[in-house]
Amino acid sequence: MQIWVDADACPKVIKEILYRAAERTGVLLTLVANQPLFPPRSLLIKTLQVPPGFDVADNEIVRRLATGDLVVTADIPLAAEVIACGGHALNPRGEFYSTENVRELLNLRDFMDTLRSSGVQTGGPAALTQADRQVFANRLDQFLARIGSG
């Protein structure tokens, strides 16, 4: 099992939590982005720079994903693909995507896209709070502990 990060849009504070978790648990962490990344030096932390383009990083994650791997992403279509491939998907607010909730989230995303394209101002996501960071760290730790003991 390894952790993949859709790193272009992943908040820095979430990456820092992931770096510490990789070192603590010995799990390989790979950050995939279309821009250079500079994580701490570690044999457990890798970066994969992909060419710019729509969904290039997402497609590379799906291509390399193994059953049981964890992907950290806020991208709902990517999360849906990860789940379909037998992986686990966790967003930066600590919410796991599942076969049950990802369809509903995709429908909501499509609805919001339709609203925006018709000129309705929908605003963006709320800022990541300290509570969100704590929930993410806790859910990640619980997941890694479960995988480590399984």
Side-chain angles (χ1 to χ4, degrees):
M1 197 285 298
Q2 68 175 304
I3 301 171
W4 298 91
V5 181
D6 183 9
D8 284 317
C10 186
K12 181 180 178 184
V13 66
I14 297 302
K15 290 177 195 166
E16 291 168 354
I17 292 168
L18 288 161
Y19 300 153
R20 290 190 299 271
E23 291 297 327
R24 187 178 67 252
T25 63
V27 172
L28 181 62
L29 173 68
T30 304
L31 298 108
V32 182
N34 58 27
Q35 60 190 343
L37 297 169
F38 304 97
R41 289 182 179 261
S42 169
L43 295 175
L44 295 168
I45 302 170
K46 310 274 186 226
T47 62
L48 177 60
Q49 186 173 349
V50 297
F54 186 72
D55 285 345
V56 175
D58 298 359
N59 294 338
E60 191 63 26
I61 290 170
V62 170
R63 190 177 76 73
R64 294 173 179 248
L65 183 73
T67 300
D69 283 356
L70 174 65
V71 176
V72 176
T73 184
D75 185 306
I76 299 165
L78 173 57
E81 285 191 74
V82 167
I83 291 166
C85 292
H88 305 277
L90 176 64
N91 77 24
R93 295 179 189 277
E95 299 162 350
F96 272 96
Y97 298 96
S98 66
T99 53
E100 293 80 29
N101 71 11
V102 79
R103 280 188 221 101
E104 179 182 318
L105 292 167
L106 281 169
N107 288 337
L108 179 60
R109 175 187 171 272
D110 292 344
F111 174 71
M112 296 303 279
D113 281 347
T114 301
L115 283 178
R116 282 189 290 276
S117 67
S118 68
V120 175
Q121 297 294 321
T122 60
L128 198 65
T129 66
Q130 182 61 41
D132 292 329
R133 295 175 210 166
Q134 191 61 53
V135 168
F136 177 85
N138 290 344
R139 297 262 167 81
L140 177 65
D141 285 347
Q142 291 164 0
F143 177 83
L144 293 172
R146 190 172 69 242
I147 294 303
S149 64

